[in-house]
Amino acid sequence: MAMAVFRAIENQRTVVRSTNSGITCVIDPNGRILKQLDPFEEDVLVMDIPVYNAGKNLYRTWEDLFAIILLIVRNCGYRGRFRTNRS
């Protein structure tokens, strides 16, 4: 569940986590657990889900651009490393 809390904070969105054999819960964009069910209990969670229209955060603005740049730099390094001077 810690990863779900982290994802809610990271993306600034409400997360609804539904599981068959774990903790079903609703997490707000600040990482607070609004409501949860006990694990391994058969139950139904009914709640009004708050929808937040927050602006974009750093990751949602640039997405995977940093990772793509690192891949390009790495590939350029490999290309130069394996190139040999044959006359």
Side-chain angles (χ1 to χ4, degrees):
M1 186 163 63
M3 287 300 292
V5 171
F6 178 74
R7 294 292 174 224
I9 295 169
E10 177 184 44
N11 293 311
Q12 297 176 346
R13 296 286 184 255
T14 302
V15 172
V16 178
R17 183 173 188 261
S18 175
T19 62
N20 288 330
S21 60
I23 299 174
T24 297
C25 62
V26 177
I27 306 166
D28 76 351
N30 297 322
R32 291 185 301 249
I33 298 172
L34 300 178
K35 198 169 187 183
Q36 77 178 30
L37 298 177
D38 294 328
F40 307 108
E41 295 287 327
E42 198 170 306
D43 203 353
V44 176
L45 179 66
V46 178
M47 179 178 179
D48 290 331
I49 305 299
V51 178
Y52 298 96
N53 293 324
K56 290 186 175 185
N57 59 14
L58 183 63
Y59 178 75
R60 289 184 51 220
T61 301
W62 296 102
E63 295 187 7
D64 292 326
L65 182 64
F66 181 69
I68 292 169
I69 290 171
L70 287 179
L71 284 172
I72 291 169
V73 168
R74 185 195 71 175
N75 288 339
C76 290
Y78 281 149
R79 197 174 319 174
R81 184 177 184 185
F82 295 114
R83 189 175 295 167
T84 58
N85 292 333
R86 295 184 185 196
S87 301

